[in-house]
Amino acid sequence: MKTRKLGRGVALVGAGMSHFGAFPEKGSRDLFVEAFGDMRQSVDKGLDPADIEAIYIGNCSSDLFEGQTHLAPLLADWVGLTPRPATRVEDACASSGVALRQGILAIASGLYDIVLVGGVEKMTDLPINEVTDALATAADTAYENPAGFTFPGFYAAMASAYLHRYGATPEALMRVAQKNHDNGQYNAKAQFNASLADIMARKIASAEKKGRPVPTWANEFEFLRDDRANPLIAWPLRLFDCSPVTDGATAVLLVSEEIAGQFSDTPLHIIGSAQASDAALHDRPDLTSIGAAQHASREAYTMAGITPDDIKVAEVHDCFTIAEIIATEDLGFFEPGQGFEAAEEGLTRRNGPHPVNTSGGLKSKGHPVGASGAGQVVEIWKQMRGEAESQSRQIKDVQYGLAHNVGQSGQFVNVFIFERGF
Amino acid sequence: MKTRKLGRGVALVGAGMSHFGAFPEKGSRDLFVEAFGDMRQSVDKGLDPADIEAIYIGNCSSDLFEGQTHLAPLLADWVGLTPRPATRVEDACASSGVALRQGILAIASGLYDIVLVGGVEKMTDLPINEVTDALATAADTAYENPAGFTFPGFYAAMASAYLHRYGATPEALMRVAQKNHDNGQYNAKAQFNASLADIMARKIASAEKKGRPVPTWANEFEFLRDDRANPLIAWPLRLFDCSPVTDGATAVLLVSEEIAGQFSDTPLHIIGSAQASDAALHDRPDLTSIGAAQHASREAYTMAGITPDDIKVAEVHDCFTIAEIIATEDLGFFEPGQGFEAAEEGLTRRNGPHPVNTSGGLKSKGHPVGASGAGQVVEIWKQMRGEAESQSRQIKDVQYGLAHNVGQSGQFVNVFIFERGF
C-alpha cells in the first residue's frame, strides 16, 4: 500500500457539541449555534471567530428532514462567518467524518490555517416512519429499497450472518447495549444519559404510578430479553440494539501544526486519516465485515506509524450493536470472529484493554446522523485531554485515540487517529 | 487581502460530459458513466481508471430528485473505482464547482496525485412544479420560501432592482439569451443546440403543420418580445431568460503538476481558485451585485497574479440572463452598471473583447444543477486547447480562462482561473 502523507501537519484545538436529543423547538441553526459556542469554550487560549478561514459542514439530508438544501452558507452566516467559504459534504451517516477529512486536507493544502468543521442533523420533526424512509434513501435505491430493506434490515442481515458464521448469540449484542448505556450515564449531553438499570427503574416507577403490572426483571439482561420491554425490530436486532433518532450538532476546530500553540498547550495531533468506499451491501462478498473499514484503518495505521494495540480509546460507529462488534474486528482490535467474545468478556468496557465508545456511542449518546462523525471527535478530545466530565468515564493516559465513522451499511468509512503531546 | 497559495500545483488533464437534455430512460448513474467515458477519451495519453486515487461528486439533491442520498460511492462503484474514497459535496447549483475545489485541495494537500471530479443531476423525473419546489429548498426556507419566493422570483427581484438602478431595459436581458443560443447552436451536447432563429423556424414550421396561425416575427427580438412565444415568468424575466431543467453529468481529471506530463502535453494549469459565501438574499444590502462573487474573484485574481482583462474566455453562471450581466460586473470585466450596455453592444459575443459562455451557457447548454460547475470547465478545456467542436465557436489563442459557479441566489460562489502552457 502507498503510504500517504499530508503536506503539513494538522492539529485539533477545540471540540464541542450541542445536547443530543429531541428538541421540537430547535432547528439545525439553533443546534449548530449551541455546538459552536461549546467548541469556542473548549479552545484553551480563546478563538476569535473572525480568524476562521473556511467552514465544512457534514449533513446527511436536511433536504428531506427539514426541506432545506444548501445548509452550509446558512450555518456559516448564523455564526457570523460570512463571507468565508462554507461547504456541505454528505456521505450519509459519515457526513461530518468526511467534513473533518476535508478540513484536514484544506489545511494540509497550504491554503488555510484555521478551519471550522461541523455537523448537524435535525431528525425529529418528521414522523418516525418518514425518518426511516428518509434514511433509507442512503441505501442503493435501485436495488436494495425495492427489496424492502431499511437500515435496521441491513444490519440485521449482517448480524444474522455474523451469529451464524461464528456461533455467537444475541447475548453478545446485548452486552454492547449494556456497556454503551453504562458509559452514557456519565455523559451529560447524551440523549440517553442513563444506564440500563436507570431505565429499568424508570419503567418500574412508571408502571407503579399508572397502576399497571410491575415488571420484575432480575437484572439488565432479563430486561433486554423481555419481548415487551425490548421488542424485536428485525431479528436478531431488538429496540436496544438500535441507535435512536436524534437532533444534534457538533463542531471542531482544526489548525495547522505551526500555529497550534497559539490556541492550546495541549492540542491533539491528527497523525492518521483515511477514507474508503465500497459497493452497496447487496453487491458485497461478505456480510460479516466492512471492507471499507478495513481499507481505511490499514491506511490510517500506516500513515500514523502505529498498530491497533496502541489505541487506548476508540469511538466506533455503533449505529447498531452488531456494527460495534464488527468494527472492533475491522479496526484490528480483535481477530475476525472474536469481537463478540471480546464484548461478552468486557474487553471494550472502560476498565478493559480496549475501551470503546466511552461517550455512550451512537447507541446511548444519540445519532444525529450528519453530526455523529465530528461528535466522536468531541469524545476523543475530552478523553485525551483528561476532560471527560466524570472520573468514572475518564480513561487514564491516552496517548493515541481513534474515531471510526461509517456511512450507509458500510459503503463509506473514515478513520482518524489522534496523538497527544509531542 | 491575504494572498493564498496552494502547497503544490494542480493541473487539469481531462474533461468530459454527457449529453445534456431530458432523458427519461437514464438515471444519475447512466449519465455519470457517459461523462466518465467522455472524460477518459479526452486524456491525451490515456487514463487507467485504477490510477484514480479519490473521487469528488457534486450533486445538489438527488435526495429530492431521485430519492437517492449518498450518491458518491454508488457512482464510484458504477465506474469501477471501489474502494477509492468517494465524497459528495453540495452547495446547490455550485455543487460541482465546490467538488472541483475539493479535488484541487486534495491534491495540493500532498495526499493524492490523481483525483476525479464529477457532477450529476437527474432533474426531469419529477413534474416541473415539483422541480421548482425541490430547487427552492436551496433558498433560506425559514425566511424566503414562506414569502413565496422560488428561484425565478429571486432573480426577477435582482433584475428589477438592476433595471431600476441603472436605467436598463429588458432588451439587455434578451441580448444575453440571443447570444447564448447563438453559441449553443455550435455545441452538439447542448440541450438547446439551436439558435433563436432555428427555434423560431421550428415554431413556424410547427404552426404550419398544425394549421394554426403562422407567426410573423421580423427577427429574434420580436420573437422574444412576443408574450405568447416568450411568456413572462416573473417580471422582467421571461421564459427565454431562464435556464432549463436538465439531466446531465460531467467529469474532469485533476493531477499534481509534477505528473501532468504523463497525461498530456497540453494540460491546463489551475492558477487561481477561490470560494466565498454570503447571507441569503433577503439579508443582503444590495440586489444588483453578488458579494460572494466579488470576494471570490478578487481572491482568485490575486492568487493567479492576473487581472480581469487577461481573461480571454469565461464561462459564467447564467442561470438567468440577469445573472450573466451581474457576473460580468462582479468578475471585473465591466464596471458596475455597465454590464447591460456591454451585453447590448455585443462585447461578450464570440468576436467581442470578453467572450462569455461560448458553450451556450446554462441558458442554452442546459443546467443540470449539480453538474454545471464542472460542465463550465469542460468548455474552458476545449476552448483553451483549441478543441471547441466548430471553428465558429472556437476562440483563438486563449492564454487565460475563467469559470464562475454560483450556488443559490449568490450565497455561494467558486471562481477558477486556468492557464495554458508554461
Side-chain angles (χ1 to χ4, degrees):
Chain A
M1 189 188 337
K2 182 173 172 181
T3 301
R4 301 194 183 278
K5 194 169 152 34
L6 293 170
R8 61 176 186 158
V10 181
L12 178 72
V13 295
M17 62 186 279
S18 72
H19 282 82
F20 280 11
F23 307 109
E25 75 287 5
K26 293 181 184 175
S28 282
R29 304 176 201 194
D30 308 299
L31 294 163
F32 184 65
V33 167
E34 187 182 335
F36 182 75
D38 191 48
M39 178 279 288
R40 272 191 80 182
Q41 289 200 326
S42 77
V43 181
D44 298 330
K45 300 181 182 178
L47 164 69
D48 179 352
D51 292 335
I52 294 171
E53 297 173 290
I55 305 100
Y56 288 90
I57 297 292
N59 172 263
C60 177
S61 190
S62 59
D63 316 36
L64 295 170
F65 289 122
E66 292 184 292
Q68 177 70 67
T69 305
H70 204 229
L71 194 60
L74 286 171
L75 295 185
D77 194 39
W78 223 246
V79 293
L81 298 182
T82 298
R84 300 289 179 260
T87 299
R88 171 195 170 200
V89 293
E90 179 269 317
D91 266 297
C93 303
S95 293
S96 58
V98 71
L100 180 65
R101 183 165 169 84
Q102 299 321 307
I104 293 167
L105 298 188
I107 289 175
S109 80
L111 213 57
Y112 302 119
D113 287 311
I114 306 172
V115 173
L116 170 67
V117 174
V120 66
E121 211 78 50
K122 167 65 190 177
M123 302 175 73
T124 67
D125 282 355
L126 295 182
I128 188 72
N129 61 320
E130 292 184 31
V131 172
T132 302
D133 288 347
L135 291 171
T137 65
D140 184 335
T141 56
Y143 294 94
E144 295 178 333
N145 308 44
F149 269 102
T150 57
F151 276 86
F154 286 121
Y155 281 91
M158 295 164 79
S160 60
Y162 184 96
L163 299 186
H164 178 262
R165 179 168 181 180
Y166 296 120
T169 71
E171 299 289 320
L173 306 176
M174 293 178 184
R175 294 278 172 175
V176 173
Q178 191 270 340
K179 167 182 73 70
N180 288 352
H181 276 282
D182 185 62
N183 289 338
Q185 71 179 312
Y186 302 111
N187 186 343
K189 292 199 170 177
Q191 184 164 10
F192 296 109
N193 178 24
S195 68
L196 285 182
D198 294 336
I199 293 170
M200 285 163 56
R202 282 184 212 162
K203 286 185 181 283
I204 288 170
S206 169
E208 283 172 345
K209 193 173 165 190
K210 292 177 182 167
R212 291 183 184 160
V214 176
T216 54
W217 304 299
N219 57 40
E220 292 147 306
F221 294 94
E222 261 193 32
F223 170 75
L224 291 175
R225 281 190 290 266
D226 180 339
D227 285 339
R228 295 183 68 174
N230 188 20
L232 267 176
I233 301 297
W235 192 89
L237 302 181
R238 294 169 179 265
L239 184 63
F240 277 82
D241 290 300
C242 311
S243 59
V245 170
T246 309
D247 304 330
T250 50
V252 304
L253 188 67
L254 302 177
V255 302
S256 57
E257 281 288 0
E258 295 92 325
I259 65 166
Q262 296 173 25
F263 295 88
S264 175
D265 289 329
T266 52
L268 300 186
H269 310 287
I270 300 174
I271 60 170
S273 165
Q275 174 183 332
S277 69
D278 201 346
L281 191 70
H282 72 89
D283 202 21
R284 279 186 229 152
D286 179 15
L287 299 183
T288 63
S289 65
I290 289 180
Q294 296 172 334
H295 273 280
S297 61
R298 277 199 299 263
E299 188 175 314
Y301 289 129
T302 304
M303 182 189 276
I306 65 168
T307 72
D309 280 340
D310 294 320
I311 301 296
K312 189 74 173 286
V313 64
E315 288 284 302
V316 314
H317 197 92
D318 60 324
C319 49
F320 297 90
T321 49
I322 183 64
E324 176 171 316
I325 290 174
I326 289 176
T328 60
E329 299 176 8
D330 290 335
L331 292 168
F333 299 155
F334 310 111
E335 293 297 312
Q338 298 187 357
F340 80 94
E341 289 172 333
E344 288 174 344
E345 292 165 13
L347 304 187
T348 53
R349 299 179 67 89
R350 292 192 305 279
N351 59 358
H354 275 296
V356 167
N357 286 333
T358 53
S359 69
L362 313 182
K363 173 71 201 82
S364 165
K365 185 175 59 177
H367 187 19
V369 290
S372 287
Q376 297 176 319
V377 176
V378 175
E379 179 67 6
I380 298 293
W381 168 260
K382 288 181 184 293
Q383 286 287 359
M384 293 184 71
R385 287 165 40 100
E387 294 169 351
E389 284 93 340
S390 159
Q391 288 301 317
S392 311
R393 183 168 138 230
Q394 180 69 53
I395 308 296
K396 280 192 187 138
D397 301 324
V398 182
Q399 185 69 13
Y400 298 104
L402 179 148
H404 155 273
N405 189 201
V406 175
Q408 207 238 33
S409 56
Q411 241 200 312
F412 185 91
V413 174
N414 253 306
V415 173
F416 303 97
I417 299 174
F418 301 87
E419 182 175 7
R420 196 179 62 179
F422 79 64
Chain B
M1 191 191 329
K2 181 171 173 181
T3 301
R4 300 194 183 277
K5 194 170 154 31
L6 293 171
R8 61 178 187 158
V10 180
L12 178 71
V13 296
M17 61 186 279
S18 72
H19 282 81
F20 280 10
F23 307 108
E25 76 286 7
K26 292 181 183 174
S28 282
R29 304 175 201 196
D30 308 299
L31 294 163
F32 184 66
V33 167
E34 187 182 336
F36 182 76
D38 191 47
M39 178 279 290
R40 273 191 80 181
Q41 290 199 326
S42 77
V43 181
D44 297 332
K45 301 183 183 178
L47 164 70
D48 180 351
D51 292 334
I52 295 171
E53 297 172 290
I55 306 100
Y56 287 90
I57 297 292
N59 172 263
C60 177
S61 192
S62 60
D63 317 35
L64 294 170
F65 290 122
E66 293 185 292
Q68 178 70 68
T69 305
H70 205 229
L71 194 60
L74 286 170
L75 295 185
D77 194 38
W78 223 245
V79 293
L81 299 182
T82 297
R84 300 288 180 259
T87 299
R88 172 196 171 200
V89 291
E90 178 268 319
D91 266 299
C93 303
S95 293
S96 59
V98 70
L100 179 65
R101 183 165 169 85
Q102 299 322 307
I104 294 168
L105 298 188
I107 290 175
S109 79
L111 213 57
Y112 302 118
D113 286 312
I114 305 172
V115 172
L116 171 67
V117 174
V120 66
E121 210 79 49
K122 168 65 189 177
M123 302 175 73
T124 68
D125 282 354
L126 295 182
I128 188 71
N129 61 318
E130 292 184 29
V131 173
T132 302
D133 288 347
L135 291 171
T137 65
D140 183 335
T141 55
Y143 294 95
E144 296 178 333
N145 308 44
F149 268 103
T150 58
F151 276 87
F154 286 121
Y155 280 91
M158 295 165 80
S160 60
Y162 185 97
L163 299 186
H164 178 261
R165 178 168 182 180
Y166 296 121
T169 71
E171 299 288 320
L173 306 177
M174 293 178 183
R175 294 280 172 174
V176 174
Q178 191 271 339
K179 169 183 71 73
N180 288 351
H181 275 282
D182 186 64
N183 289 339
Q185 71 179 310
Y186 301 112
N187 186 343
K189 294 200 170 176
Q191 183 164 11
F192 296 110
N193 179 23
S195 68
L196 285 183
D198 295 336
I199 292 170
M200 284 163 57
R202 281 183 213 164
K203 285 184 182 283
I204 288 170
S206 168
E208 283 171 346
K209 192 172 165 190
K210 293 177 181 166
R212 292 184 182 157
V214 176
T216 54
W217 304 298
N219 57 40
E220 293 147 305
F221 295 95
E222 264 195 28
F223 168 75
L224 291 175
R225 281 189 290 267
D226 180 339
D227 285 339
R228 295 184 67 174
N230 189 20
L232 266 175
I233 301 296
W235 193 89
L237 301 181
R238 294 169 178 267
L239 183 63
F240 277 82
D241 290 301
C242 310
S243 59
V245 170
T246 309
D247 303 330
T250 51
V252 305
L253 188 66
L254 302 177
V255 303
S256 57
E257 281 288 0
E258 294 92 325
I259 65 167
Q262 297 174 23
F263 295 87
S264 176
D265 289 328
T266 53
L268 301 186
H269 310 287
I270 300 175
I271 60 169
S273 165
Q275 174 183 331
S277 68
D278 201 346
L281 192 70
H282 72 89
D283 201 21
R284 279 185 230 153
D286 179 16
L287 299 183
T288 64
S289 66
I290 288 180
Q294 296 172 333
H295 273 281
S297 61
R298 278 200 299 263
E299 188 175 313
Y301 289 130
T302 303
M303 183 189 276
I306 66 167
T307 71
D309 280 342
D310 294 321
I311 300 296
K312 189 74 174 286
V313 65
E315 289 283 303
V316 315
H317 197 91
D318 61 323
C319 49
F320 298 89
T321 50
I322 183 64
E324 177 171 316
I325 290 175
I326 289 177
T328 60
E329 300 177 6
D330 290 335
L331 292 168
F333 300 156
F334 310 111
E335 294 295 313
Q338 296 187 358
F340 80 94
E341 289 172 333
E344 288 175 344
E345 290 165 14
L347 305 186
T348 54
R349 297 178 70 86
R350 292 191 304 279
N351 59 357
H354 275 296
V356 166
N357 287 333
T358 53
S359 68
L362 313 182
K363 173 71 201 80
S364 166
K365 186 176 59 178
H367 187 19
V369 290
S372 286
Q376 296 176 319
V377 176
V378 175
E379 178 68 5
I380 297 291
W381 168 260
K382 287 181 184 294
Q383 286 286 0
M384 293 185 71
R385 287 166 40 102
E387 295 169 352
E389 284 93 342
S390 158
Q391 287 302 315
S392 310
R393 182 167 137 229
Q394 180 69 53
I395 308 297
K396 281 191 185 139
D397 300 325
V398 182
Q399 185 69 16
Y400 299 105
L402 178 149
H404 155 271
N405 189 200
V406 176
Q408 206 240 31
S409 56
Q411 239 199 315
F412 184 91
V413 174
N414 253 305
V415 172
F416 303 97
I417 299 173
F418 302 87
E419 181 176 8
R420 196 181 62 181
F422 79 64

